[in-house]
């Protein structure tokens, strides 16, 4: 569907594939961050897995990392950022300074890769509640509570 797949039963279009697993990673980065590993199902047609903007925002950085990975950081509002780390091709629309809409393709995973990382950072809320998972309702509440709901 054009809305993307459901993430924990809520439509957050982080990818166009079925998500087989979401793993909350351990982090020493502080209470305001939630690092997630998103595992995707293999494509039945062999096509590329698209990584999409979870919400409207602006690309603030695109950094090439060792091992051929890229870290794309999006600012969704004054307090909320996403960093997507993946191995593959970065889309033209994902240049720093570009505004992106929710669901916009930011890149394509390399064909042999089945996971990518999504780090959420909120500057005014403690995201590390100690629980293993972060529900989609919590993600939506986080986004809607960031103080800015209008399009950037």
């Amino acid at each position: 569907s054009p809305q993307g797949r459901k993430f924990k039963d809520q439509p957050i279009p982080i990818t166009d594939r079925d998500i087989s697993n979401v793993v909350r990673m351990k982090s020493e980065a502080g209470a305001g961050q939630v690092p997630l590993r998103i595992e995707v199902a293999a494509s039945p047609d062999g096509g590329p897995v698209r990584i999409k903007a979870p919400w409207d925002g602006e690309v603030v950085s695109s950094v090439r990392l060792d091992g051929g990975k890229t870290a794309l950081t999006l600012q969704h509002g004054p307090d909320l950022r996403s960093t997507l780390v993946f191995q593959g091709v970065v889309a033209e629309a994902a240049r720093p300074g570009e505004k992106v809409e929710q669901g916009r393709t930011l890149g394509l995973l390399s064909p042999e890769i089945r996971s990518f990382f999504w780090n959420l950072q909120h500057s005014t809320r403690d995201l590390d509640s100690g629980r293993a998972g972060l529900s989609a309702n919590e993600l939506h509440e986080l986004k809607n509570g960031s103080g800015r709901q209008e399009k950037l």
Side-chain angles (χ1 to χ4, degrees), residues 31-119:
Q33 296 196 37
V34 177
L36 303 170
R37 185 177 74 225
I38 311 291
E39 298 173 0
V40 293
S43 168
D45 62 4
V49 173
R50 296 177 189 280
I51 296 174
K52 299 184 168 204
W55 301 293
D56 293 351
E58 181 176 334
V59 179
V60 293
S61 70
S62 176
V63 179
R64 194 84 168 143
L65 306 174
D66 290 340
K69 292 183 179 175
T70 299
L72 281 178
T73 300
L74 305 175
Q75 186 77 40
H76 301 294
D79 302 317
L80 184 64
R81 282 186 173 208
S82 289
T83 300
L84 297 153
V85 179
F86 62 95
Q87 185 167 331
V89 179
V90 178
E92 278 293 308
R95 290 188 305 255
E98 292 291 320
K99 292 187 178 8
V100 293
E101 292 182 357
Q102 181 181 40
R104 179 81 177 260
T105 297
L106 300 172
L108 303 175
L109 276 185
S110 294
E112 70 279 7
I113 304 296
R114 290 283 163 260
S115 66
F116 60 95
F117 295 92
W118 178 20
N119 186 62

Coordinates of all heavy atoms in Angstrom, one line a residue, residues 31-119:
A31 N 19.4 8.8 27.9 CA 18.0 8.5 28.0 C 17.1 9.0 26.9 O 16.0 8.5 26.7 CB 17.5 9.0 29.4
G32 N 17.6 10.0 26.2 CA 16.8 10.6 25.1 C 16.9 9.9 23.8 O 16.4 10.4 22.8
Q33 N 17.5 8.7 23.8 CA 17.6 8.0 22.5 C 17.1 6.6 22.5 O 17.1 5.9 23.6 CB 19.1 7.9 22.1 CG 19.7 9.3 21.8 CD 21.0 9.2 21.1 OE1 21.1 8.4 20.2 NE2 21.9 10.1 21.4
V34 N 16.5 6.1 21.4 CA 16.1 4.8 21.3 C 16.6 4.2 20.0 O 16.2 4.6 18.9 CB 14.5 4.7 21.2 CG1 14.1 3.3 21.0 CG2 13.9 5.2 22.5
P35 N 17.6 3.4 20.0 CA 18.2 2.7 18.8 C 17.4 1.4 18.5 O 17.3 0.6 19.4 CB 19.6 2.5 19.2 CG 19.7 2.4 20.7 CD 18.5 3.1 21.2
L36 N 16.9 1.3 17.3 CA 16.2 0.2 16.9 C 16.8 -0.5 15.7 O 17.3 0.2 14.8 CB 14.7 0.6 16.5 CG 13.9 1.3 17.5 CD1 12.6 1.8 16.9 CD2 13.6 0.4 18.7
R37 N 16.9 -1.8 15.6 CA 17.3 -2.5 14.4 C 16.0 -3.0 13.8 O 15.2 -3.7 14.4 CB 18.2 -3.6 14.7 CG 18.7 -4.3 13.4 CD 19.7 -5.4 13.6 NE 19.0 -6.6 14.1 CZ 19.5 -7.3 15.1 NH1 20.6 -7.0 15.8 NH2 18.8 -8.4 15.5
I38 N 15.7 -2.6 12.5 CA 14.5 -3.0 11.8 C 14.9 -4.1 10.8 O 15.8 -3.9 10.0 CB 14.0 -1.8 11.0 CG1 13.8 -0.6 11.8 CG2 12.7 -2.2 10.3 CD1 12.8 -0.6 12.8
E39 N 14.4 -5.3 11.0 CA 14.6 -6.4 10.2 C 13.5 -6.6 9.2 O 12.3 -6.6 9.6 CB 14.8 -7.7 11.0 CG 16.0 -7.6 11.9 CD 16.2 -8.8 12.9 OE1 15.3 -9.7 12.8 OE2 17.1 -8.7 13.7
V40 N 13.8 -6.7 7.9 CA 12.7 -6.8 6.9 C 12.7 -8.2 6.2 O 13.7 -8.9 6.1 CB 12.9 -5.7 5.8 CG1 12.7 -4.3 6.4 CG2 14.3 -5.8 5.2
A41 N 11.5 -8.5 5.8 CA 11.3 -9.8 5.1 C 11.9 -9.8 3.7 O 12.1 -8.7 3.1 CB 9.8 -10.1 5.0
A42 N 12.4 -10.9 3.2 CA 12.9 -11.0 1.9 C 11.8 -10.6 0.9 O 10.7 -10.8 1.0 CB 13.4 -12.4 1.6
S43 N 12.3 -10.0 -0.2 CA 11.4 -9.5 -1.3 C 11.0 -10.7 -2.1 O 11.8 -11.4 -2.7 CB 12.0 -8.5 -2.1 OG 11.3 -8.2 -3.3
P44 N 9.7 -11.0 -2.3 CA 9.3 -12.1 -3.2 C 9.7 -11.9 -4.7 O 9.9 -12.8 -5.4 CB 7.7 -12.1 -3.1 CG 7.3 -10.8 -2.4 CD 8.5 -10.3 -1.8
D45 N 9.8 -10.6 -5.1 CA 10.1 -10.3 -6.5 C 11.6 -10.0 -6.7 O 12.1 -9.7 -7.8 CB 9.3 -9.2 -7.1 CG 9.5 -7.9 -6.3 OD1 10.3 -7.8 -5.4 OD2 8.8 -6.9 -6.6
G46 N 12.4 -10.0 -5.5 CA 13.8 -9.7 -5.6 C 14.1 -8.2 -5.8 O 15.2 -7.8 -5.9
G47 N 13.1 -7.4 -5.7 CA 13.3 -5.9 -5.8 C 13.9 -5.3 -4.6 O 14.0 -6.0 -3.5
P48 N 14.4 -4.1 -4.7 CA 15.1 -3.5 -3.6 C 14.1 -3.1 -2.4 O 13.0 -2.8 -2.7 CB 15.7 -2.2 -4.2 CG 14.8 -1.9 -5.3 CD 14.3 -3.2 -5.8
V49 N 14.7 -3.1 -1.2 CA 13.9 -2.6 0.0 C 14.1 -1.1 0.1 O 15.2 -0.6 0.0 CB 14.5 -3.3 1.2 CG1 13.8 -2.7 2.5 CG2 14.2 -4.8 1.2
R50 N 13.0 -0.4 0.1 CA 13.1 1.1 0.2 C 13.0 1.5 1.7 O 12.2 1.0 2.4 CB 11.9 1.7 -0.5 CG 11.9 1.4 -2.0 CD 10.7 2.0 -2.7 NE 10.6 1.6 -4.0 CZ 11.3 2.1 -5.0 NH1 12.1 3.1 -4.8 NH2 11.2 1.6 -6.3
I51 N 13.9 2.4 2.0 CA 13.9 3.0 3.4 C 13.2 4.4 3.2 O 13.6 5.1 2.3 CB 15.3 3.2 3.9 CG1 15.9 1.8 4.1 CG2 15.3 3.9 5.2 CD1 17.3 1.8 4.5
K52 N 12.2 4.6 4.1 CA 11.4 5.8 3.9 C 11.4 6.7 5.1 O 11.7 6.2 6.2 CB 9.9 5.4 3.6 CG 9.8 4.5 2.3 CD 8.4 4.2 2.0 CE 8.3 3.7 0.6 NZ 7.0 3.9 0.1
A53 N 11.1 7.9 4.9 CA 11.0 8.9 6.0 C 9.8 8.5 6.9 O 8.7 8.4 6.4 CB 10.8 10.3 5.5
P54 N 10.1 8.3 8.2 CA 9.0 7.9 9.1 C 7.9 9.1 9.3 O 6.8 8.8 9.5 CB 9.7 7.6 10.4 CG 11.0 8.3 10.4 CD 11.3 8.4 8.9
W55 N 8.4 10.3 9.3 CA 7.5 11.5 9.4 C 8.1 12.6 8.5 O 9.2 12.5 8.0 CB 7.5 12.0 10.8 CG 7.0 11.0 11.8 CD1 5.7 10.4 11.9 CD2 7.7 10.3 12.9 NE1 5.6 9.5 12.9 CE2 6.9 9.4 13.5 CE3 9.1 10.4 13.3 CZ2 7.2 8.7 14.6 CZ3 9.5 9.6 14.4 CH2 8.6 8.8 15.0
D56 N 7.3 13.7 8.3 CA 7.8 14.8 7.6 C 9.1 15.4 8.3 O 9.2 15.2 9.6 CB 6.8 16.0 7.6 CG 5.6 15.6 6.8 OD1 5.6 14.6 6.1 OD2 4.6 16.4 6.8
G57 N 10.0 16.0 7.6 CA 11.1 16.5 8.2 C 12.1 17.1 7.2 O 11.8 17.3 6.0
E58 N 13.3 17.5 7.7 CA 14.3 18.0 6.9 C 15.6 17.2 7.1 O 15.9 16.8 8.2 CB 14.6 19.5 7.2 CG 15.7 20.1 6.4 CD 15.9 21.6 6.7 OE1 15.0 22.2 7.1 OE2 17.0 22.0 6.4
V59 N 16.3 16.9 6.0 CA 17.5 16.1 6.0 C 18.6 17.1 6.6 O 18.8 18.1 6.0 CB 17.9 15.6 4.7 CG1 19.3 14.8 4.8 CG2 16.9 14.6 4.1
V60 N 19.2 16.8 7.7 CA 20.2 17.7 8.3 C 21.6 17.2 8.0 O 22.5 18.0 8.0 CB 20.0 17.9 9.8 CG1 18.7 18.8 10.0 CG2 19.9 16.7 10.6
S61 N 21.7 15.9 7.8 CA 23.1 15.4 7.4 C 23.0 14.0 6.7 O 22.0 13.3 6.9 CB 24.0 15.3 8.7 OG 23.5 14.2 9.5
S62 N 24.0 13.8 5.9 CA 24.2 12.5 5.2 C 25.7 12.2 5.3 O 26.5 12.9 4.7 CB 23.7 12.6 3.8 OG 24.0 11.4 3.1
V63 N 26.0 11.2 6.1 CA 27.4 10.9 6.4 C 27.7 9.5 6.0 O 27.0 8.5 6.3 CB 27.7 11.0 7.9 CG1 29.2 10.7 8.2 CG2 27.4 12.4 8.4
R64 N 28.8 9.4 5.2 CA 29.3 8.0 4.7 C 30.1 7.4 5.8 O 31.0 8.1 6.3 CB 30.1 8.2 3.4 CG 30.3 7.0 2.7 CD 29.2 6.6 1.8 NE 29.6 5.6 0.9 CZ 28.8 4.6 0.6 NH1 27.6 4.5 0.9 NH2 29.3 3.6 -0.2
L65 N 29.8 6.2 6.2 CA 30.5 5.5 7.3 C 31.4 4.4 6.8 O 31.3 4.0 5.6 CB 29.5 4.9 8.3 CG 28.4 5.9 8.9 CD1 27.4 5.1 9.7 CD2 29.1 7.0 9.7
D66 N 32.3 3.9 7.6 CA 33.1 2.8 7.2 C 32.2 1.6 6.9 O 31.1 1.5 7.5 CB 34.0 2.4 8.4 CG 35.1 3.4 8.6 OD1 35.4 4.3 7.7 OD2 35.7 3.4 9.7
G67 N 32.7 0.8 6.0 CA 31.9 -0.4 5.6 C 30.8 -0.1 4.6 O 30.0 -1.0 4.3
G68 N 30.8 1.1 4.0 CA 29.8 1.4 3.0 C 28.5 1.8 3.5 O 27.5 1.9 2.7
K69 N 28.3 2.0 4.7 CA 27.0 2.4 5.3 C 26.9 3.9 5.2 O 27.9 4.7 5.1 CB 26.8 1.9 6.7 CG 26.7 0.4 6.8 CD 26.5 0.0 8.2 CE 26.3 -1.5 8.3 NZ 26.2 -2.0 9.7
T70 N 25.6 4.4 5.3 CA 25.3 5.8 5.3 C 24.4 6.1 6.5 O 23.6 5.3 6.8 CB 24.6 6.2 4.0 OG1 25.4 6.0 2.9 CG2 24.2 7.7 4.1
A71 N 24.7 7.2 7.2 CA 23.9 7.7 8.3 C 23.1 8.9 7.8 O 23.8 10.0 7.6 CB 24.7 8.0 9.5
L72 N 21.8 8.9 7.7 CA 21.0 10.0 7.3 C 20.3 10.5 8.6 O 19.6 9.7 9.2 CB 19.9 9.6 6.3 CG 20.3 9.4 4.9 CD1 19.1 8.9 4.1 CD2 20.9 10.7 4.3
T73 N 20.4 11.8 8.8 CA 19.7 12.3 10.0 C 18.6 13.3 9.5 O 18.9 14.2 8.7 CB 20.7 13.0 11.0 OG1 21.6 12.1 11.4 CG2 20.0 13.6 12.2
L74 N 17.4 13.1 10.1 CA 16.2 14.0 9.7 C 15.8 14.7 11.0 O 15.7 14.1 12.1 CB 15.1 13.1 9.3 CG 15.3 12.2 8.1 CD1 14.0 11.4 7.8 CD2 15.6 13.0 6.8
Q75 N 15.5 16.0 10.9 CA 14.9 16.7 12.0 C 13.4 16.8 11.7 O 13.0 17.3 10.7 CB 15.5 18.1 12.0 CG 15.1 19.0 13.2 CD 15.8 18.6 14.4 OE1 17.0 18.3 14.4 NE2 15.1 18.5 15.6
H76 N 12.6 16.2 12.7 CA 11.1 16.2 12.5 C 10.4 17.3 13.2 O 9.2 17.5 13.0 CB 10.6 14.9 13.0 CG 11.2 13.7 12.4 ND1 11.0 13.4 11.0 CD2 12.0 12.7 12.8 CE1 11.6 12.3 10.7 NE2 12.2 11.8 11.8
G77 N 11.1 18.0 14.1 CA 10.5 19.1 14.8 C 11.6 19.6 15.7 O 12.7 19.2 15.6
P78 N 11.3 20.6 16.6 CA 12.3 21.2 17.4 C 13.1 20.2 18.3 O 14.2 20.4 18.6 CB 11.6 22.3 18.2 CG 10.2 22.0 18.1 CD 10.0 21.2 16.8
D79 N 12.4 19.1 18.7 CA 13.0 18.2 19.7 C 13.2 16.8 19.2 O 13.7 16.0 20.0 CB 12.1 18.2 21.0 CG 11.9 19.5 21.6 OD1 12.8 20.3 21.7 OD2 10.7 19.8 22.0
L80 N 12.7 16.5 18.0 CA 12.7 15.1 17.6 C 13.6 14.9 16.3 O 13.3 15.6 15.3 CB 11.3 14.6 17.3 CG 11.1 13.1 16.9 CD1 11.6 12.2 18.1 CD2 9.6 12.9 16.6
R81 N 14.5 13.9 16.4 CA 15.3 13.6 15.2 C 15.3 12.1 15.0 O 15.2 11.3 15.9 CB 16.8 13.9 15.5 CG 17.1 15.4 15.3 CD 18.6 15.6 15.4 NE 18.9 16.9 15.1 CZ 20.0 17.4 14.6 NH1 21.0 16.6 14.4 NH2 20.2 18.6 14.3
S82 N 15.5 11.7 13.7 CA 15.7 10.3 13.4 C 17.0 10.2 12.7 O 17.3 11.0 11.8 CB 14.6 9.8 12.4 OG 13.4 9.6 12.9
T83 N 17.8 9.1 13.0 CA 19.0 8.8 12.2 C 18.8 7.4 11.7 O 18.5 6.5 12.4 CB 20.3 8.9 13.0 OG1 20.4 10.2 13.5 CG2 21.5 8.6 12.2
L84 N 18.9 7.3 10.4 CA 18.7 6.0 9.7 C 20.1 5.6 9.2 O 20.7 6.3 8.5 CB 17.7 6.1 8.5 CG 16.3 6.5 9.0 CD1 15.6 7.2 7.9 CD2 15.6 5.2 9.4
V85 N 20.5 4.4 9.6 CA 21.9 3.9 9.1 C 21.6 2.6 8.3 O 21.0 1.7 8.8 CB 22.8 3.6 10.4 CG1 24.1 3.1 9.9 CG2 22.9 4.8 11.2
F86 N 22.1 2.7 7.1 CA 21.9 1.5 6.2 C 23.0 1.4 5.2 O 23.7 2.3 4.9 CB 20.5 1.6 5.5 CG 20.4 2.8 4.6 CD1 20.7 2.8 3.2 CD2 20.0 4.1 5.1 CE1 20.5 3.9 2.4 CE2 19.9 5.2 4.3 CZ 20.2 5.1 3.0
Q87 N 23.1 0.2 4.6 CA 24.0 -0.1 3.5 C 23.2 -0.1 2.3 O 22.3 -0.9 2.1 CB 24.8 -1.4 3.8 CG 25.9 -1.6 2.7 CD 26.8 -2.8 3.2 OE1 27.0 -3.0 4.3 NE2 27.3 -3.4 2.2
G88 N 23.6 0.7 1.3 CA 22.9 0.8 0.1 C 23.0 2.1 -0.6 O 24.0 2.9 -0.4
V89 N 22.0 2.4 -1.4 CA 22.1 3.7 -2.3 C 21.2 4.7 -1.6 O 20.1 4.5 -1.2 CB 21.5 3.4 -3.7 CG1 21.5 4.6 -4.5 CG2 22.3 2.3 -4.3
V90 N 21.7 5.9 -1.5 CA 21.0 7.1 -0.9 C 20.3 7.8 -2.1 O 20.8 8.0 -3.1 CB 22.0 8.1 -0.3 CG1 21.2 9.3 0.3 CG2 22.7 7.4 0.9
A91 N 19.0 8.1 -1.8 CA 18.2 8.8 -2.9 C 18.6 10.2 -3.0 O 19.1 10.8 -2.1 CB 16.7 8.7 -2.4
E92 N 18.3 10.7 -4.2 CA 18.7 12.1 -4.5 C 17.9 13.1 -3.6 O 18.5 14.1 -3.2 CB 18.2 12.5 -6.0 CG 19.2 12.0 -7.0 CD 20.5 12.8 -7.0 OE1 20.4 14.1 -7.0 OE2 21.6 12.2 -6.9
A93 N 16.7 12.7 -3.2 CA 15.9 13.6 -2.3 C 16.5 13.7 -0.9 O 16.0 14.4 -0.1 CB 14.5 13.1 -2.2
A94 N 17.5 12.8 -0.6 CA 18.0 12.8 0.8 C 19.3 13.6 1.0 O 20.2 13.2 1.7 CB 18.2 11.3 1.2
R95 N 19.4 14.7 0.3 CA 20.5 15.6 0.5 C 20.3 16.6 1.6 O 19.1 17.0 1.9 CB 20.8 16.4 -0.8 CG 21.2 15.6 -2.0 CD 21.6 16.5 -3.1 NE 20.5 17.4 -3.5 CZ 19.7 17.3 -4.5 NH1 20.0 16.3 -5.4 NH2 18.8 18.1 -4.8
P96 N 21.3 16.9 2.4 CA 21.1 17.9 3.5 C 20.5 19.2 3.0 O 20.8 19.7 1.9 CB 22.6 18.1 4.0 CG 23.3 16.9 3.6 CD 22.7 16.4 2.3
G97 N 19.5 19.6 3.8 CA 18.8 20.8 3.5 C 17.5 20.6 2.7 O 16.6 21.4 2.7
E98 N 17.3 19.3 2.2 CA 16.0 19.0 1.5 C 14.9 18.6 2.5 O 15.2 18.0 3.5 CB 16.3 17.7 0.6 CG 17.2 18.0 -0.5 CD 16.6 18.9 -1.6 OE1 15.3 18.8 -1.8 OE2 17.3 19.7 -2.1
K99 N 13.7 19.1 2.2 CA 12.6 18.8 3.0 C 12.0 17.5 2.5 O 11.9 17.4 1.2 CB 11.6 19.9 3.0 CG 12.1 21.1 3.8 CD 11.1 22.2 3.9 CE 11.6 23.4 4.7 NZ 12.9 23.6 5.1
V100 N 11.6 16.6 3.3 CA 11.0 15.3 2.9 C 9.7 15.1 3.6 O 9.5 15.5 4.7 CB 11.9 14.1 3.1 CG1 13.2 14.2 2.3 CG2 12.3 14.0 4.6
E101 N 8.7 14.5 2.8 CA 7.4 14.2 3.4 C 7.5 12.8 4.0 O 8.2 11.9 3.5 CB 6.4 14.3 2.3 CG 6.1 15.7 1.9 CD 5.0 15.8 0.8 OE1 4.4 14.7 0.5 OE2 4.7 16.9 0.4
Q102 N 6.6 12.5 4.9 CA 6.4 11.2 5.5 C 6.2 10.2 4.3 O 5.4 10.4 3.4 CB 5.2 11.1 6.4 CG 5.0 9.8 7.0 CD 3.8 9.7 7.9 OE1 2.8 10.3 7.6 NE2 3.9 9.1 9.0
G103 N 7.0 9.1 4.3 CA 6.8 8.1 3.3 C 7.7 8.3 2.1 O 7.8 7.4 1.3
R104 N 8.4 9.4 2.0 CA 9.4 9.6 0.9 C 10.5 8.6 1.0 O 11.1 8.4 2.0 CB 9.9 11.0 1.0 CG 10.8 11.4 -0.1 CD 10.0 11.8 -1.4 NE 10.9 12.3 -2.4 CZ 11.1 13.5 -2.8 NH1 10.5 14.5 -2.1 NH2 11.8 13.9 -3.8
T105 N 10.9 8.1 -0.2 CA 12.0 7.1 -0.2 C 13.3 7.9 0.0 O 13.6 8.9 -0.7 CB 12.1 6.4 -1.6 OG1 10.9 5.6 -1.7 CG2 13.3 5.5 -1.7
L106 N 14.1 7.4 1.0 CA 15.4 8.0 1.3 C 16.6 7.2 0.8 O 17.7 7.8 0.6 CB 15.5 8.2 2.8 CG 14.5 9.0 3.6 CD1 14.6 8.9 5.1 CD2 14.5 10.4 3.1
G107 N 16.3 6.0 0.5 CA 17.4 5.1 0.0 C 16.9 3.7 -0.2 O 15.8 3.4 0.1
L108 N 17.8 2.9 -0.8 CA 17.5 1.5 -1.1 C 18.6 0.6 -0.4 O 19.8 0.9 -0.5 CB 17.6 1.2 -2.6 CG 16.7 2.1 -3.5 CD1 17.0 1.8 -5.0 CD2 15.2 1.8 -3.2
L109 N 18.1 -0.4 0.3 CA 19.1 -1.3 0.9 C 19.8 -2.1 -0.2 O 19.2 -2.5 -1.2 CB 18.4 -2.3 1.8 CG 18.0 -1.9 3.2 CD1 17.4 -3.1 3.9 CD2 19.2 -1.4 4.0
S110 N 21.1 -2.4 0.1 CA 21.8 -3.4 -0.8 C 21.0 -4.7 -0.8 O 20.5 -5.1 0.2 CB 23.2 -3.6 -0.3 OG 24.0 -2.4 -0.4
P111 N 21.0 -5.4 -2.0 CA 20.1 -6.6 -2.1 C 20.4 -7.7 -1.1 O 19.4 -8.4 -0.7 CB 20.5 -7.1 -3.5 CG 21.0 -6.0 -4.2 CD 21.7 -5.1 -3.2
E112 N 21.6 -7.8 -0.6 CA 21.9 -8.9 0.3 C 21.6 -8.5 1.8 O 21.7 -9.4 2.7 CB 23.4 -9.3 0.2 CG 24.4 -8.3 0.7 CD 24.7 -7.2 -0.3 OE1 24.1 -7.0 -1.4 OE2 25.6 -6.4 0.0
I113 N 21.3 -7.3 2.0 CA 21.1 -6.8 3.4 C 19.6 -6.9 3.8 O 18.7 -6.6 3.0 CB 21.5 -5.3 3.5 CG1 23.0 -5.1 3.1 CG2 21.3 -4.8 4.9 CD1 24.0 -5.9 3.9
R114 N 19.3 -7.3 5.0 CA 18.0 -7.5 5.5 C 17.6 -6.7 6.7 O 16.6 -7.0 7.4 CB 17.7 -9.0 5.8 CG 17.7 -9.9 4.6 CD 16.3 -9.8 3.9 NE 16.4 -10.3 2.5 CZ 16.6 -9.5 1.4 NH1 16.6 -8.2 1.5 NH2 16.6 -10.1 0.3
S115 N 18.5 -5.7 7.1 CA 18.1 -4.9 8.2 C 18.8 -3.6 8.1 O 19.7 -3.4 7.3 CB 18.6 -5.6 9.5 OG 20.0 -5.7 9.6
F116 N 18.3 -2.6 8.9 CA 18.9 -1.3 9.0 C 18.6 -0.8 10.4 O 17.9 -1.4 11.1 CB 18.4 -0.3 7.9 CG 16.9 -0.1 7.9 CD1 16.3 1.0 8.5 CD2 16.0 -1.0 7.2 CE1 15.0 1.2 8.5 CE2 14.7 -0.8 7.2 CZ 14.1 0.3 7.9
F117 N 19.2 0.4 10.7 CA 19.1 0.9 12.1 C 18.3 2.2 12.0 O 18.5 3.0 11.1 CB 20.4 1.1 12.7 CG 21.1 -0.2 12.9 CD1 22.0 -0.7 12.0 CD2 20.9 -0.9 14.1 CE1 22.6 -1.9 12.1 CE2 21.6 -2.1 14.3 CZ 22.4 -2.6 13.3
W118 N 17.5 2.4 13.0 CA 16.7 3.7 13.1 C 16.9 4.2 14.6 O 16.5 3.5 15.5 CB 15.2 3.4 12.9 CG 14.3 4.6 13.0 CD1 14.7 5.9 13.0 CD2 12.9 4.6 13.2 NE1 13.5 6.7 13.1 CE2 12.4 5.9 13.2 CE3 12.0 3.5 13.3 CZ2 11.1 6.2 13.4 CZ3 10.6 3.8 13.4 CH2 10.2 5.2 13.5
N119 N 17.6 5.3 14.8 CA 17.8 5.8 16.1 C 16.9 7.1 16.2 O 17.0 8.0 15.5 CB 19.3 6.2 16.3 CG 19.6 6.6 17.7 OD1 19.4 5.9 18.6 ND2 20.0 7.9 17.8

